């Protein structure tokens, strides 16, 4: 992974973690441990998708707190979040 991709992933991960309820801080389900980060690049913009993986917190594989939760962000090479697309069916 190149440096700008790491900056993009970090910016998005920080934003998502900050959006979790404060009363859940410290819980595995509200930590970076429970998240997958996927980074792609197109046209000089990084696209970062965050998926929740609570099975990493002792939940049965395939468990979910929300139905097919993910967030998708467009991020500049400097790590500035340009746009967000939340998806919850």
């Amino acid at each position: 992974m190149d440096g700008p991709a790491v900056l993009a992933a970090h910016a998005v991960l920080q934003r998502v973690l900050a959006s979790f309820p404060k009363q859940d801080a410290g819980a595995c389900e509200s930590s970076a441990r429970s998240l997958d980060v996927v980074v792609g690049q197109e046209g000089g913009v990084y696209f970062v998708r965050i998926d929740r993986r609570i099975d990493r917190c002792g939940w049965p594989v395939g468990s979910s707190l929300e139905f097919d939760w993910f967030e998708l962000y467009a991020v500049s090479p400097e790590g500035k979040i340009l746009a967000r697309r939340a998806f919850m069916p």
Side-chain angles (χ1 to χ4, degrees):
M1 192 182 302
D2 64 10
V6 173
L7 285 174
H10 181 352
V12 171
L13 188 57
Q14 295 294 38
R15 165 89 53 99
V16 170
L17 290 172
S19 73
F20 288 153
K22 301 299 181 220
Q23 68 267 21
D24 294 340
C28 179
E29 295 83 2
S30 296
S31 71
R33 181 176 177 196
S34 70
L35 302 174
D36 267 347
V37 180
V38 180
V39 181
Q41 181 190 26
E42 181 67 36
V45 175
Y46 288 88
F47 294 91
V48 181
R49 178 181 164 135
I50 304 289
D51 293 302
R52 207 151 193 198
R53 294 280 313 277
I54 61 170
D55 57 297
R56 295 181 181 153
C57 298
W59 292 63
V61 174
S63 295
S64 179
L65 296 175
E66 303 90 0
F67 181 71
D68 196 26
W69 180 95
F70 74 86
E71 291 195 3
L72 181 65
Y73 291 81
V75 186
S76 74
E78 298 77 32
K80 180 181 178 197
I81 295 175
L82 305 172
R84 172 184 174 260
R85 167 79 167 116
F87 179 79
M88 286 196 55

